[in-house]
Amino acid sequence: MKPQSQPREFFLDSIRAYLMLLGIPFHISLIYSSHIWTVNSITPSDGLTIFNDTIHAFRMQVFFVISGYFSYMLYERYESRKWLRVRLERVAIPLAAAFPLITVPQLLFLAYFTNSFSNWGSLDFYQKINITVWELVSHLWFLLTLVILTAVSFYLFRAIKENKNSRILKVIQNADSLGKISILFLFFGLIYAAFNRTVYLFAPQLLGNGAFNFVVMQTLFYLPFFLIGACTFKFASLKSIFLKPSVPACAISILLFAAYMINQHINTPQLYSMEIDAIITSLLGILMVNVVFSFSHYVLNFQSPFVTYLVNASLFVYLIHHPLTLIYGAFITPLIKSDWVGFWLGLVFVFGIAFFLYEVHKRIPLLRFLFSGKWQFMKKESGEESAAGKRPELGQ
């Protein structure tokens, strides 16, 4: 392994942790929003619907940029085959462990304590398999997408590292302003929207197929964000663009947030709502990379044991929060009349139990290994990883 010469970027630690943990208020607010979910409050809250839409519009795009950034950083440090093994261990092992330990029990909970499977007897074999795929993958979809992106990047990162004269790399290198980068992602959004519309017109059943959505659609949408993250590490000029505060980016993002919400709640698939969503979130996602990076670089670029703790805890807490949220929604939400009171109590309930379980799992080496993919946790070690001076593994 090559010595690490890259100085530690504390603001990226913070972004990584907060974006992952932001999934908890996202799912709790989903209970109280106007969106139809597995569990919902009786009366939806307009405020929590707006809050939920705001998080959903940009969070995962920025997350995959950071994932690409740190994945490529490790690619520069390791031999390519060792990099592939290390990266797949870090994402595939938690993914494989979470199926029997989290989403299978979650599926059984949904079957026995909610109405999710109330029409199970009337479904045909394909429909039963499909709904099972949706519920088993559930919130683990991002790990599955990272596994696929890691496999694909085994070849793509080689081209970036060798700086080959590919057309795509030339276009990225020549994008010397946030405006040009935004145009690239607008173009990508149009291509993705055209593909989505083609599927909708000629094979609409595929858009309701869980496997197709998780393996194809999610991968295609987040691949450009993952690659631009890798290029951000490789090309200093690109990184400087994202770190420079941009007032136009903030202003346009606000307008795009408004357009996203209008499209979500007023438009229909017949009037291109899915395609407009793809275009808006592609452009909004890359602009929010600038907003989030520049803001965090300014206010969060310092060492913090608290952030280090959150980085180490965030993956486990995120994985375990989903069934806790469903339990809260099924049993406690109906008892609380106020949506906002229910939302805040839900945060206390889910965060409290999730961090308690994180502390319990830290004391069981097998569980630490299964939810991190790090073999050193199978060995007898004393102290936390951070106490040994090791950098938290970002971009999982």
Side-chain angles (χ1 to χ4, degrees):
M1 187 177 71
K2 297 179 182 179
Q4 181 179 344
S5 57
Q6 181 79 8
R8 181 164 178 172
E9 295 161 304
F10 298 107
F11 75 101
L12 290 176
D13 290 5
S14 299
I15 297 173
R16 158 69 169 82
Y18 293 138
L19 284 178
M20 184 73 79
L21 296 176
L22 198 57
I24 299 177
F26 166 74
H27 281 117
I28 295 176
S29 64
L30 190 56
I31 297 174
Y32 299 99
S33 73
S34 60
H35 298 290
I36 305 301
W37 198 39
T38 306
V39 288
N40 284 107
S41 61
I42 298 176
T43 305
S45 164
D46 292 337
L48 288 171
T49 299
I50 294 173
F51 177 76
N52 182 268
D53 286 344
T54 301
I55 296 174
H56 192 249
F58 79 95
R59 183 175 71 99
M60 294 311 296
Q61 297 95 303
V62 180
F63 174 84
F64 275 98
V65 171
I66 293 178
S67 295
Y69 183 96
F70 283 101
S71 292
Y72 185 77
M73 180 192 74
L74 291 178
Y75 189 86
E76 289 278 5
R77 293 169 56 191
Y78 291 109
E79 184 272 329
S80 60
R81 293 188 180 278
K82 183 177 181 180
W83 169 85
L84 182 64
R85 177 179 61 80
V86 170
R87 288 304 302 153
L88 287 179
E89 287 175 353
R90 298 288 170 83
V91 292
I93 291 175
L95 174 64
F99 282 128
L101 295 178
I102 295 178
T103 58
V104 169
Q106 176 179 280
L107 186 148
L108 295 175
F109 173 81
L110 294 177
Y112 287 102
F113 296 101
T114 73
N115 296 322
S116 299
F117 295 87
S118 59
N119 64 336
W120 183 261
S122 62
L123 301 179
D124 60 31
F125 180 74
Y126 167 77
Q127 291 172 322
K128 289 179 178 178
I129 293 296
N130 190 40
I131 193 173
T132 301
V133 170
W134 278 107
E135 297 299 345
L136 277 180
V137 176
S138 185
H139 64 300
L140 307 181
W141 68 267
F142 80 100
L143 286 176
L144 177 60
T145 301
L146 280 175
V147 169
I148 299 171
L149 290 176
T150 298
V152 172
S153 297
F154 179 74
Y155 301 99
L156 296 179
F157 281 5
R158 184 184 304 170
I160 296 175
K161 185 174 184 178
E162 296 174 0
N163 204 8
K164 292 184 177 179
N165 293 322
S166 69
R167 184 174 300 177
I168 295 177
L169 280 180
K170 281 186 177 180
V171 170
I172 293 175
Q173 286 183 277
N174 291 332
D176 55 1
S177 69
L178 185 60
K180 291 181 180 179
I181 297 171
S182 300
I183 291 173
L184 287 179
F185 275 79
L186 177 60
F187 180 67
F188 152 71
L190 289 168
I191 294 175
Y192 182 88
F195 175 72
N196 189 92
R197 194 66 184 180
T198 301
V199 176
Y200 177 76
L201 292 175
F202 296 101
Q205 70 281 0
L206 283 178
L207 295 179
N209 181 283
F212 182 79
N213 269 271
F214 292 130
V215 175
V216 178
M217 300 303 288
Q218 299 282 27
T219 302
L220 289 178
F221 183 79
Y222 289 108
L223 176 60
F225 292 97
F226 193 79
L227 288 181
I228 202 71
C231 291
T232 300
F233 183 89
K234 177 68 174 180
F235 307 119
S237 59
L238 186 59
K239 183 177 179 180
S240 65
I241 291 173
F242 288 132
L243 293 181
K244 182 179 179 180
S246 171
V247 174
C250 294
I252 296 173
S253 294
I254 293 173
L255 295 176
L256 288 172
F257 275 120
Y260 172 82
M261 293 177 194
I262 292 171
N263 185 62
Q264 283 279 307
H265 298 282
I266 297 178
N267 207 353
T268 64
Q270 291 75 19
L271 296 178
Y272 303 94
S273 64
M274 295 182 292
E275 292 73 29
I276 293 173
D277 181 274
I279 295 169
I280 292 174
T281 52
S282 296
L283 183 55
L284 176 60
I286 201 64
L287 290 175
M288 286 302 295
V289 172
N290 169 261
V291 173
V292 173
F293 274 38
S294 59
F295 175 80
S296 301
H297 185 257
Y298 182 73
V299 301
L300 297 174
N301 197 25
F302 57 89
Q303 187 172 11
S304 167
F306 174 72
V307 172
T308 299
Y309 176 83
L310 291 182
V311 170
N312 291 330
S314 60
L315 178 60
F316 177 87
V317 169
Y318 180 80
L319 293 179
I320 202 68
H321 94 278
H322 201 266
L324 294 175
T325 302
L326 293 174
I327 291 171
Y328 180 84
F331 294 135
I332 302 178
T333 293
L335 304 177
I336 303 172
K337 294 182 179 180
S338 170
D339 285 347
W340 279 100
V341 171
F343 171 73
W344 288 110
L345 287 178
L347 290 179
V348 174
F349 178 88
V350 174
F351 271 119
I353 297 177
F355 276 103
F356 171 77
L357 292 176
Y358 170 70
E359 289 296 327
V360 172
H361 115 286
K362 283 200 308 180
R363 290 154 176 77
I364 305 173
L366 177 60
L367 289 180
R368 294 193 72 183
F369 162 69
L370 290 176
F371 285 104
S372 69
K374 300 177 183 180
W375 290 96
Q376 62 264 36
F377 290 142
M378 291 299 292
K379 303 174 183 178
K380 291 184 178 180
E381 296 183 337
S382 59
E384 285 300 303
E385 181 181 8
S386 58
K390 297 181 181 178
R391 178 178 180 149
E393 202 61 65
L394 300 185
Q396 299 220 60

